[in-house]
Amino acid sequence: MKRRTLWFIVISFFVFCGFIVWLLGSDSDFFKGSNRIGVVEIKGTISNASEVLKSIKEFRKDQSIRAILVRIDSPGGGVGPSQEIYRELKRTIKHKPVVASLGGIAASGGYYIASAANRIVASPGTITGSIGVIMYLPMLRDLFGKIGYEMVTIKAGRYKDIGNPGREMTPEEKEIMQASMDEAHRQFIRDVAAGRKMPEEKIREIADGRIILGQTAKELGLVDELGNFEDAVDAAVALGHVKGEADIVYAKKKRMSLLDLLLGSDASEKLSTWLDEPGASLRYQAPFAQ
């Protein structure tokens, strides 16, 4: 009988210890304080918004997260992914404050996303601005002629092969493409103006694709404060009414793939972006980062 009781105590002890370990390693709110700042990092070319959207939504729903800090170090990227993240941040600021911290570069789509935040903090030398849209269409007709390559196009729809690298674009096709670019540009200006609570006319004056440094961006009203990451944390603490020292929590990163292990995460990201995205796509991206 004593042996059975002893075994029961031992098993209960290990079960209890296992439960504590599970709690500590899980997403349970049991041990979470209420002074947490959630950090979402956006690095490199913006090509896929899914992971960033997931992190933002998780932090928004987490009651222990008092504010979200979006750390941006990106030259921009695809129009669609940039707009998705912008929209999610606009939805989030209705529930809790969002601070954007601009790193070495937060241009074009990178700035587009930042403009949705309650407050933007940048270094004086941060490369930002570049409010514009770009698309590169290769012209390979002469090269094809030299190597004896011929492209045969079969299509249904008059303009289905706009941008065909084997021929010159017609004036009518150029008008169609320019109209799409102009519309994406208007959307950029409209959304930045809404995010910054500035007149569209004011944004349009500097929305010619020019690069702007952080110091000038503050003078123009595109940035609220000059400072580093820690200054952005302080801004998030103030907006989130955090009492005492803040607990900085980074969004969970997806598991490293075999490609990441072989090439390194930066090289893997660039290769994946090149493989996943068509060359002739509308982009909110700084021209020197193509």
Side-chain angles (χ1 to χ4, degrees):
M1 190 68 178
K2 291 182 179 179
R3 183 178 296 177
R4 187 175 300 175
T5 302
L6 180 61
W7 274 111
F8 176 78
I9 293 172
V10 171
I11 292 172
S12 298
F13 173 77
F14 279 108
V15 169
F16 175 76
C17 290
F19 177 70
I20 295 298
V21 170
W22 175 81
L23 273 179
L24 290 172
S26 71
D27 293 328
S28 171
D29 291 332
F30 193 78
F31 291 103
K32 291 180 180 178
S34 58
N35 63 337
R36 290 153 50 97
I37 302 295
V39 178
V40 178
E41 294 180 303
I42 299 176
K43 293 183 177 181
T45 305
I46 302 165
S47 59
N48 189 323
S50 58
E51 289 296 322
V52 174
L53 294 176
K54 180 181 177 182
S55 298
I56 293 171
K57 287 188 281 189
E58 287 178 352
F59 280 151
R60 184 174 69 232
K61 294 177 181 178
D62 190 334
Q63 297 301 314
S64 71
I65 299 294
R66 303 298 296 272
I68 297 174
L69 195 159
V70 183
R71 175 67 172 181
I72 304 172
D73 211 326
S74 168
V79 169
S82 300
Q83 291 184 337
E84 283 190 283
I85 299 172
Y86 173 95
R87 181 176 177 81
E88 199 59 45
L89 290 179
K90 290 292 286 184
R91 183 181 288 118
T92 298
I93 63 175
K94 297 176 183 178
H95 302 276
K96 57 185 62 174
V98 175
V99 173
S101 170
L102 311 189
I105 178 171
S108 205
Y111 179 75
Y112 179 92
I113 290 170
S115 68
N118 296 101
R119 193 164 185 81
I120 302 177
V121 180
S123 295
T126 295
I127 298 173
T128 186
S130 190
I131 300 175
V133 192
I134 195 167
M135 174 187 287
Y136 288 107
L137 295 170
M139 171 49 68
L140 305 177
R141 184 189 59 182
D142 293 341
L143 176 62
F144 289 168
K146 289 179 179 179
I147 64 176
Y149 176 88
E150 184 177 352
M151 178 179 289
V152 177
T153 301
I154 301 173
K155 63 182 180 179
R158 183 178 177 183
Y159 302 111
K160 194 61 180 176
D161 70 330
I162 285 182
N164 185 333
R167 65 173 179 82
E168 281 196 33
M169 190 178 291
T170 67
E172 189 177 4
E173 288 173 332
K174 288 180 180 179
E175 286 184 16
I176 292 172
M177 294 303 297
Q178 189 61 57
S180 296
M181 300 289 283
D182 292 341
E183 174 57 26
H185 194 208
R186 284 193 293 271
Q187 293 172 10
F188 199 153
I189 294 169
R190 177 200 66 200
D191 291 343
V192 168
R196 296 300 298 162
K197 296 180 174 58
M198 294 173 63
E200 287 190 27
E201 294 74 21
K202 197 73 175 176
I203 301 299
R204 192 171 290 108
E205 291 176 2
I206 53 175
D208 53 9
R210 74 181 72 174
I211 294 298
I212 302 171
L213 294 187
Q215 180 77 51
T216 304
K218 184 178 184 301
E219 295 169 2
L220 293 171
L222 298 181
V223 167
D224 297 296
E225 177 184 341
L226 295 179
N228 60 11
F229 178 78
E230 293 303 322
D231 294 309
V233 170
D234 291 340
V237 166
L239 291 176
H241 303 292
V242 175
K243 297 179 180 178
E245 187 175 350
D247 183 12
I248 306 301
V249 182
Y250 283 81
K252 293 180 180 178
K253 296 183 179 179
K254 64 179 181 179
R255 294 178 61 184
M256 292 185 70
S257 65
L258 180 59
L259 199 59
D260 293 331
L261 294 173
L262 292 174
L263 302 178
S265 58
D266 290 341
S268 173
E269 179 189 352
K270 290 179 180 178
L271 178 60
S272 297
T273 299
W274 181 78
L275 292 173
D276 290 344
E277 289 210 356
S281 61
L282 290 174
R283 306 184 69 76
Y284 291 154
Q285 187 165 338
F288 57 81
Q290 302 299 320

